[in-house]
Structure formats: C-alpha cells, structure tokens
C-alpha cells in the first residue's frame, strides 16, 4: 500500500495548523499523525522490499527449474543411447564388448545427470520456499500499513471533532497494533 508523496505533506500541514492554533491537544494529535505517517512510510518501504525479494526468489526458482528440465532432457537422451547399446550388445556377438562399454559409459553419465537434475530441483524448492516466506511477510506488512493508515484517518477525526479524545486514543492504538504487526511480520 504505497502512499503518494503529497499525503505526507498534507499530514505535516495539519500539524502546522494545530501548532499555530495554540491548542495543546491538537498539537499532540498532529504529532501523532506525523509519527504514524513516518511509521506508514517505513512499513511501506519494508513491504516493497519483501515484494522485490519474493519476485527475485521466484525468478531464480524458474531459472533453476529450466536448468533441471534441461538436465532431465539430457538424461533421457543418454538413457536412450544406453538402452540402444544394451540392445546392440545382445544382438551382436562380434562387437558386444564395445557395445557393453558404451552402455556402461552412458549409464555412468545418466547417474551424474540425474544427480545434477535432482540437486537443481532441490535448489528450486528452496527458492520457492524463500519466495513464499517473503510473500507472507509482504501480506503481514500490508495489513500493518493498512492499520497505520486507518490510525492516521482516525486521528484526523480528532482534529475535526475538536476536543474529542477517543479518536486520538483509537489512532494511537491502531498505530501500536500496526507497528507491532509490522515488526512481527518482518522479523518472523
């Protein structure tokens, strides 16, 4: 949930008007809005970082999958050649020894290719798991940013409804819950 640059300026203008009005409560509410706006900006930055990391990990997983697929295709080609030499060794008595050697060489190569393909698939699975973890963090940070933005809106109600303290308390509570959710999501 990305805020536009002018939204932070608007929050600062509300704070400036409250300071000029000389109302101590309004100064506190405006300061709360400013703090919540900074928290929202930080959370939005963390959210963007997690999104980028999730995409990056997923891209790496796709590349690893392509490499694994290439290895499996190469494995299949070598396996077919191995089987052809096995068949040839069984049908030709003159060159049976040569054919068996070729079949053994291809069998060794297929084992190496299989091992490499499985390693690439394992790395792919690790990248997908890492991507999912970043996506989970992103979702938690999105909720946190939303709570802080709601807190900003509720704090603004305290300015509009002069003298009403419950919106300010609610805004503080939303900000604390949002910041806590952000910390929990990011550090998890």
């Amino acid at each position: 949930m990305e805020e536009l640059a002018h939204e932070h300026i608007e929050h600062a203008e509300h704070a400036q008007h409250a300071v000029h009005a000389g109302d101590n409560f309004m100064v506190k509410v405006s300061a709360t809005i400013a703090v919540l706006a900074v928290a929202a900006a930080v959370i939005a930055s963390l959210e963007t970082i997690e999104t980028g990391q999730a995409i990056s990990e997923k891209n790496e997983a796709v590349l690893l999958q392509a490499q694994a697929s290439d290895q499996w295709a190469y494995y299949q080609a070598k396996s077919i050649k191995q089987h052809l030499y096995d068949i040839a060794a069984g049908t030709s008595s003159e060159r049976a020894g040569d054919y068996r050697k070729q079949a053994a060489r291809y069998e060794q190569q297929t084992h190496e290719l299989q091992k490499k393909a499985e390693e690439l698939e394992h790395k792919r699975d690790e990248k997908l798991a890492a991507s999912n973890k970043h996506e989970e963090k992103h979702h938690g940070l999105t909720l946190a940013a939303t709570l802080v933005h709601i807190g900003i809106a509720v704090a603004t109600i305290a300015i509009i409804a002069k003298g009403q303290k419950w919106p300010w308390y609610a805004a503080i509570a939303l900000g604390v819950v949002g910041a806590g959710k952000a910390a929990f999501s990011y550090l998890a």
Side-chain angles (χ1 to χ4, degrees):
M1 179 175 245
E2 206 169 303
E3 272 196 62
L4 300 174
H6 66 74
E7 291 181 35
H8 296 292
I9 294 169
E10 288 180 27
H11 298 308
E13 287 175 359
H14 284 294
Q16 187 178 18
H17 290 302
V19 169
H20 289 303
D23 184 345
N24 191 31
F25 175 67
M26 290 300 153
V27 170
K28 289 178 184 177
V29 172
S30 297
T32 301
I33 291 172
V35 169
L36 291 176
V38 168
V42 169
I43 293 168
S45 293
L46 294 174
E47 185 182 10
T48 300
I49 289 168
E50 289 302 324
T51 300
Q53 289 176 331
I55 291 169
S56 178
E57 296 283 357
K58 202 143 294 196
N59 285 343
E60 288 181 39
V62 168
L63 291 173
L64 288 165
Q65 176 59 50
Q67 291 172 348
S69 294
D70 289 347
Q71 289 300 306
W72 283 118
Y74 198 38
Y75 166 87
Q76 288 175 336
K78 295 285 186 174
S79 179
I80 290 169
K81 287 180 182 180
Q82 173 199 345
H83 291 301
L84 289 174
Y85 278 111
D86 282 338
I87 292 167
T91 61
S92 172
S93 59
E94 296 173 7
R95 299 197 55 197
D98 290 338
Y99 292 149
R100 283 191 191 95
K101 283 182 190 176
Q102 289 292 345
R105 182 172 64 92
Y106 281 115
E107 183 177 11
Q108 177 61 34
Q109 289 175 351
T110 58
H111 287 301
E112 291 169 7
L113 290 168
Q114 180 180 8
K115 183 178 176 185
K116 186 168 183 174
E118 288 171 349
E119 287 173 5
L120 288 166
E121 288 175 335
H122 178 72
K123 288 179 183 177
R124 174 212 55 210
D125 293 342
E126 288 175 346
K127 293 294 181 183
L128 287 174
S131 176
N132 290 339
K133 182 121 175 118
H134 288 298
E135 285 179 11
E136 287 174 19
K137 285 183 178 187
H138 165 78
H139 294 311
L141 290 167
T142 300
L143 175 59
T146 301
L147 291 170
V148 173
H149 282 108
I150 293 170
I152 292 170
V154 171
T156 305
I157 293 171
I159 291 174
I160 295 168
K162 298 175 179 160
Q164 295 290 322
K165 292 191 177 186
W166 70 265
W168 180 52
Y169 295 137
I172 291 170
L174 285 164
V176 169
V177 170
K181 176 65 178 163
F184 179 78
S185 296
Y186 189 71
L187 297 174

